[in-house]
C-alpha cells in the first residue's frame, strides 16, 4: 500500500509540474505532505518536514 502511494505521489508531482498547474516548489511541498497524511503519518509529518529542511538547509 505504501509503495503504491509513493508511485502515485511521484506521478502527481510530475503531472502538476509538467502541465504548469503548480510551481515546482509548491508541488514539492504540498503533494508529499498530503501523501504523508493519507499514508497515516499524521503526527510524524511535522517531524519529517523539520528533518528534511534541516538536512538541506546547509546546501
Amino acid at each position: 500500500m505504501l509503495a503504491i502511494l509513493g508511485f502515485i505521489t511521484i506521478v502527481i508531482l510530475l503531472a502538476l509540474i509538467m502541465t504548469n498547474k503548480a510551481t515546482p516548489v509548491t508541488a514539492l511541498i504540498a503533494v508529499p505532505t498530503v501523501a504523508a497524511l493519507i499514508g497515516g503519518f499524521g503526527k510524524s509529518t511535522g517531524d519529517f518536514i523539520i528533518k528534511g529542511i534541516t538536512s538541506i538547509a546547509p546546501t
Side-chain angles (χ1 to χ4, degrees), residues 43-58:
K43 293 183 180 180
S44 300
T45 304
D47 294 334
F48 294 154
I49 293 169
I50 292 171
K51 286 180 185 177
I53 291 173
T54 305
S55 68
I56 65 165

Side-chain angles (χ1 to χ4, degrees), residues 6-47:
F7 285 122
I8 292 171
T9 301
I10 293 169
V11 169
I12 291 172
L13 275 170
L14 289 173
L16 286 174
I17 293 171
M18 292 176 74
T19 60
N20 290 327
K21 299 283 184 185
T23 63
V25 173
T26 305
L28 287 169
I29 292 171
V31 174
T33 302
V34 172
L37 293 174
I38 292 171
F41 297 103
K43 293 183 180 180
S44 300
T45 304
D47 294 334

